[in-house]
Amino acid sequence: MLLRRGFILFLPRLVGLLVVACCSVSIVYMLACTPKGDNQQLALPRVHGPTAKEGYEAILQEREEQHRNYIISLKKQIAQLKVELQGRSEHLKNVQDRYPDPLDIWHDHSKLEKTQANLLAFLRSQIDKAEVHSGVKLSTEYAAVPFESFTLQKVYQLETGLTRHPEEKPVRKDKRDELIEVINLAVGSLNNPEGDGIARHRIYTASDFIEGIYRTEKDKGTLYELTFKGNAKHQFKKIVLFRPFGPVMKVKNENVNIADTLINVIVPLAKRASKFRQFMQNFREMGIQRDGRIHLTVVYFGKEQMNEVKSILENTSKSTNFKNFTFIQLNEEFSRGKGLDVGARFWKGNNVVLFFCDVDIYFTAEFLNSCRLNTQPGKKVFYPVLFSQYNPSIIYGHHDSIPSLEQQLVIKKETGFWRDFGFGMTCQYRSDFINIGGFDLDIKGWGGEDVHLYRKYLHSNLIVIRTPVRGLFHLWHEKQCPEELTPEQYKMCMQSKAMNEASHGQLGMLVFKEEIETHLHKQKLSSKKV
């Protein structure tokens, strides 16, 4: 190491010595080639001699030639010195790159330490900003960030949706790992208290944990408060932990061009011609007129109402000059998975985005762009959570008339719910669908095939984008519960039907309808008496 450092320090001096030596050679050469002085001048011709003028001209020409040669020689030497100096500089740079100066390493290390110190200071400031040591004044009662509680086995949560329960075991691995990590850190902190030296104390384990609460402020971090058994009956140990969120970091900045990205909308169908007519009105406006980069594939099962469906397709094609559609007819029992699989494999063009759709779906042109932006071949598939509409007859029963379909498509808790248990509407590139193995064709009828495909993607290396979208709606239609179902199945079917009919509050109003009408009647009578 010392030899390397000595060599590095000596190298610039060596280059300097070479430059000085070259300059010295130039000076010696200049002195040797300089024209002779007055004492050694050539004999001048006499002024009155017959050849005086010619003699002076000859001497001047000779002197001019000597100076010209001298200048040329100096230019050559300067050029040679420049080339040599450049070569030495490049060699020095290569040596320094190969053997960096310890001073530079120390400088980089100190810069890294400074960066880490700044990051630590930022994370500590997140604790001060969050509601850890003191409260924050809030504008309304709805602005408060609620806590959720947990034990070793269960999580008790407020935001449940339709697939989560008020009390449940944490299903998601990241949530399980998070809470286990927090409990283990708290136990470690209890067993290694600061400032106790070698004082003896009890050993805590996870079984001493009673309960905890936690909440997340999205821009600051997650606060955890954990309670453990103490040393006596009414004594407890409380540990407060905070997981600060770091500064936002840029991951990617890219331009995405979807101008030529075609979507193939695949719809499996059996009968339901009236619903298909409603679907085609939406497809005409949003898909053909507003978007224009779209193909429609209808896979029809059986022959009943087939001619009516084909007529709707042909009329739309003529009126809009739309030719990008395919009609496939299968003479077999309806299977949604089979229909979508056949439609996807029937495509013979370039790799295309597939949108698996149903006739009771309404989509916007903005959703089609979301479909394109959230899919990427070999990288991402899109599983949007659509908004499911309640029964319009119940929602707008107190109105003079039911509003138009477009006016009904409002995202409010009184008009519908996020269908977070459904996985049937999805966008993915055809290449990904083929590579994942497509649908399980052993599943017959309606339902089950979508969850199976969804799980395939979850078990792959593809990124699954799962998010609510504002431009995709499931239109209400009456749910039939067949008489041949078992009592348990029939009960479950009716529960599902009730969930799709109206909100909790609206169903309650139906249950207590007579009581409400009686109260209103009494109010009218009492007002007349007054």
Side-chain angles (χ1 to χ4, degrees), residues 140-167:
T140 70
E141 64 271 27
Y142 301 108
V145 180
F147 282 88
E148 294 184 345
S149 59
F150 64 99
T151 63
L152 280 175
Q153 302 297 331
K154 298 287 181 67
V155 174
Y156 303 85
Q157 54 207 1
L158 288 175
E159 299 177 4
T160 57
L162 291 172
T163 56
R164 298 166 62 193
H165 303 283
E167 176 201 75

Side-chain angles (χ1 to χ4, degrees), residues 110-126:
S110 64
K111 188 177 180 181
L112 178 61
E113 286 182 343
K114 185 177 180 181
T115 302
Q116 291 174 341
N118 290 339
L119 178 59
L120 184 60
F122 174 84
L123 296 178
R124 291 191 181 280
S125 72
Q126 292 287 71

Side-chain angles (χ1 to χ4, degrees), residues 150-249:
F150 64 99
T151 63
L152 280 175
Q153 302 297 331
K154 298 287 181 67
V155 174
Y156 303 85
Q157 54 207 1
L158 288 175
E159 299 177 4
T160 57
L162 291 172
T163 56
R164 298 166 62 193
H165 303 283
E167 176 201 75
E168 69 176 16
K169 292 182 178 179
V171 176
R172 282 172 35 191
K173 182 179 183 298
D174 62 328
K175 178 58 66 178
R176 287 199 310 271
D177 292 347
E178 175 194 5
L179 297 180
I180 290 171
E181 179 191 9
V182 167
I183 293 171
N184 289 338
L185 280 172
V187 170
S189 178
L190 288 170
N191 290 328
N192 296 281
E194 297 177 0
D196 279 8
I198 57 172
R200 296 184 63 185
H201 53 80
R202 61 173 289 187
I203 300 300
Y204 287 87
T205 64
S207 61
D208 294 312
F209 173 65
I210 300 173
E211 68 172 356
I213 59 174
Y214 70 99
R215 69 175 176 185
T216 299
E217 294 182 68
K218 301 291 187 182
D219 60 335
K220 299 177 185 71
T222 303
L223 174 66
Y224 308 89
E225 296 186 9
L226 296 90
T227 304
F228 289 80
K229 297 173 185 175
N231 295 324
K233 183 178 180 181
H234 297 294
Q235 290 183 359
F236 301 91
K237 284 282 190 178
K238 195 161 206 175
I239 298 291
V240 178
L241 302 174
F242 188 76
R243 187 193 300 272
F245 294 158
V248 178
M249 298 177 65

